[in-house]
Amino acid sequence: MKKILWLGVVLLSLIYALPIFYTVLNSFMTPAELAADGLHWIPQEFNLQQYYTLVTDKAAYFRYFISSMKITGSILIGQIVLGICAAYALAKLKFPGSDFVLILYILIILLPYQVTLVPNYLVFETFERTLNFTILDTHQALILPGVFSTFGIFLLRQFMRDLPKELIEAAKIDGAGHLRILTKIVLPLLKPAIFALVILTFIDNWNIIDQALVFIDSPENQPLSVFLRMIYEGDFNVFYAGATLYIIPAVIIFIKGEKYLSEGLVIGGSK
């Protein structure tokens, strides 16, 4: 039974990994090989022509790459800072309505993000008319909903909820306030949960597409995920090289934090 289960897991992993292998291998093919009929996996001769063309003729690719890093990095920092503070309040501070707030967060998590696209658009539109401040068609339209996502708060709260009460009580006896308790005691213990949040948030927002298409009209303000579609439709000969470079940051951050991701999700889920 264990062997069958192990075989099934390996088979399923290969199925999920096949598109990545196909993309990477095709990035070393020449335009003639890409234009050939049929499905080809192994290049006849490995070359870097696609990457060279991408660097020399598609310099805009790297501008979009930087834009995506800016958007994703801003969302990451905002989610971590707000998530830690809000999670600490929900997990360790008792205030009127805290249970209602938590239930509300859970309900928001259960909503597909497509449901919130139109309300977010209307809020941004109203905000622009009222305060004469541009949000739509800028990176802020993608960053703000990402920063205030409730997923990070819920994940950190689950992890933080069952941290030893004795540590916090001892700190209070020593005269430590909530800010010092949070920074000196809670934060060092949150490392697995924070890494799990970083990985999940990075992958989710690095691949952002629907929100960008709804909130941003100007092509130059689009993230790399949308620009890749333009390359696919406009210059298929360098698409696979662009797609390969696109997945590298997500793969690196996943490999570096995979141990913390497993630990953070297991502990957070068990709470």
Side-chain angles (χ1 to χ4, degrees), residues 41-222:
W41 283 85
I42 308 298
Q44 297 176 3
E45 180 182 348
F46 281 83
N47 69 84
L48 300 175
Q49 183 176 344
Q50 286 190 51
Y51 294 95
Y52 177 78
T53 305
L54 191 68
V55 171
T56 56
D57 296 342
K58 297 288 180 182
Y61 175 92
F62 299 96
R63 180 168 58 82
Y64 284 97
F65 190 96
I66 293 172
S67 293
S68 284
M69 291 297 293
K70 170 191 167 184
I71 294 168
T72 307
S74 300
I75 292 173
L76 267 178
I77 294 170
Q79 265 207 42
I80 291 171
V81 173
L82 291 177
I84 289 173
C85 296
Y88 179 79
L90 290 172
K92 296 302 179 184
L93 304 180
K94 290 299 179 182
F95 57 90
S98 58
D99 292 335
F100 173 75
V101 172
L102 179 62
I103 293 172
L104 187 62
Y105 279 1
I106 294 173
L107 290 175
I108 293 173
I109 292 173
L110 295 176
L111 288 174
Y113 69 86
Q114 290 89 348
V115 175
T116 63
L117 285 178
V118 173
N120 282 338
Y121 187 94
L122 295 176
V123 168
F124 290 154
E125 202 174 43
T126 304
F127 191 87
E128 288 184 347
R129 285 200 309 267
T130 307
L131 299 177
N132 195 27
F133 183 78
T134 303
I135 297 178
L136 292 172
D137 203 24
T138 68
H139 292 161
Q140 281 73 23
L142 302 179
I143 293 171
L144 289 175
V147 166
F148 292 100
S149 170
T150 57
F151 172 74
I153 297 172
F154 178 76
L155 177 65
L156 294 175
R157 184 259 179 190
Q158 291 299 95
F159 188 93
M160 205 182 292
R161 187 179 62 174
D162 287 341
L163 291 177
K165 295 180 180 178
E166 294 78 8
L167 290 174
I168 296 176
E169 289 172 358
K172 287 180 179 179
I173 292 173
D174 290 339
H178 288 298
L179 182 59
R180 189 172 180 185
I181 292 171
L182 179 60
T183 55
K184 299 296 183 182
I185 296 174
V186 175
L187 272 183
L189 299 174
L190 276 183
K191 191 176 180 181
I194 291 174
F195 267 94
L197 177 60
V198 166
I199 294 170
L200 294 174
T201 301
F202 182 91
I203 292 174
D204 186 35
N205 291 282
W206 184 250
N207 297 320
I208 196 168
I209 292 180
D210 291 352
Q211 299 94 314
L213 293 175
V214 172
F215 296 145
I216 297 180
D217 295 325
S218 303
E220 63 272 13
N221 290 333
Q222 295 285 4

